[in-house]
Amino acid sequence: MKSPDQVLQSVGELGILAGRALVALATPPWEIREWIRQAEQIGVRSLGVASITTVFTGMVLALQTAYSLPSLGVKYYIGTVVSKSLTRELCPVLLALVVGGRIGAGITAELGSMKVTEQIDALRAMAADPVRKLVTPKLAAILIMLPCLTILGDILGVLGGLAIAVFQLQISPGLYLNDVLSALTLDDVMSGVSKSAFFGFFIALIACYHGLRARGGADGVGRATTDAVVMSSITILISDFFLTKLFYVFG
């Protein structure tokens, strides 16, 4: 358990790292080739887990809604419930937790291994900025790919709900899709996409921070990876509450 002074020190170090990463992200030269490579590793390789998560979430949501409140005739409004719940809340949060856990663990392990084998010190010795070379490409890739995965997840989740509505609840596809299109607004979609961008920033920053601070060989890398995943998950859940209030106030 960290003392208050250690917590404040960690927050300060995170703030400094965030500032350096954002400055490097906004100023050339940019490592475009490395950005593309990171986008492929972070985004494309997460398509499988993202698809499974969102499709089955949409299916479960449709089932639970229809079977929990049958007397209210809710099953005829399954499209509204599924689309609103997925786009505004479930899809960005679940993808940030599931995909973010995979991404964050990988980033922390990679940077932690480089740290304990003194490769990062070698970069500094060659007058290269580790933040620009290592942190910024990962941050840029997550900021781009996580919102894209969220949009894809929204579509797949709605289609998962459609499958349950048609084959389980005997609702016509036209009725379901018309309900989705009449209920869903651009604000709903943008709310979830904006959340995913914030979540991606937190995931990248926390993972890189713990990776760059790893100590003590393989055991230290393992501890740093665990801390990064736990801390990013807690940050996502806490920030989701405040982002939801913020978007409803200014939306």
Side-chain angles (χ1 to χ4, degrees):
M1 188 70 179
K2 289 185 177 181
S3 66
D5 290 342
Q6 290 174 320
V7 172
L8 289 175
Q9 181 180 349
S10 297
V11 171
E13 291 172 347
L14 272 168
I16 293 171
L17 179 61
R20 292 178 62 189
L22 289 174
V23 169
L25 189 65
T27 56
W30 294 293
E31 303 281 345
I32 301 298
R33 184 172 297 178
E34 179 64 14
W35 288 20
I36 295 173
R37 189 181 74 84
Q38 291 294 332
E40 189 272 335
Q41 288 189 345
I42 289 170
V44 177
R45 296 188 184 183
S46 298
L47 281 174
V49 65
S51 300
I52 291 172
T53 300
T54 52
V55 166
F56 281 93
T57 298
M59 294 171 70
V60 169
L61 187 60
L63 273 178
Q64 289 283 13
T65 303
Y67 288 155
S68 298
L69 302 169
S71 62
L72 300 180
V74 175
K75 80 172 190 176
Y76 297 105
Y77 301 98
I78 289 294
T80 298
V81 175
V82 171
S83 60
K84 289 276 190 181
S85 302
L86 279 174
T87 54
R88 276 196 168 269
E89 191 65 31
L90 290 177
C91 196
V93 173
L94 287 177
L95 283 182
L97 291 173
V98 176
V99 178
R102 174 190 175 276
I103 294 170
I107 291 174
T108 306
E110 178 186 349
L111 295 184
S113 299
M114 295 180 69
K115 177 65 176 177
V116 299
T117 56
E118 299 182 351
Q119 294 180 54
I120 292 178
D121 294 332
L123 279 175
R124 293 193 179 98
M126 293 186 294
D129 183 8
V131 173
R132 181 177 291 275
K133 290 288 185 181
L134 301 175
V135 176
T136 303
K138 294 175 174 56
L139 176 60
I142 293 178
L143 288 176
I144 294 170
M145 297 308 296
L146 194 57
C148 291
L149 288 174
T150 300
I151 294 173
L152 176 63
D154 291 339
I155 296 171
L156 293 176
V158 169
L159 292 178
L162 172 64
I164 293 298
V166 172
F167 297 110
Q168 188 78 26
L169 306 176
Q170 285 74 51
I171 298 174
S172 69
L175 178 61
Y176 176 88
L177 292 175
N178 182 66
D179 191 29
V180 170
L181 294 176
S182 62
L184 201 60
T185 65
L186 183 60
D187 286 343
D188 296 327
V189 177
M190 292 309 299
S191 173
V193 172
S194 300
K195 281 184 180 182
S196 68
F198 280 101
F199 296 157
F201 178 77
F202 297 144
I203 292 166
L205 185 65
I206 292 170
C208 290
Y209 171 75
H210 282 90
L212 293 173
R213 283 176 49 85
R215 301 286 190 277
D219 184 56
V221 174
R223 286 196 303 270
T225 302
T226 302
D227 291 344
V229 173
V230 171
M231 186 58 65
S232 62
S233 298
I234 292 172
T235 303
I236 287 166
L237 294 173
I238 293 175
S239 63
D240 177 52
F241 170 77
F242 293 102
L243 289 172
T244 299
K245 288 185 69 70
L246 183 67
F247 291 151
Y248 272 113
V249 170
F250 296 101

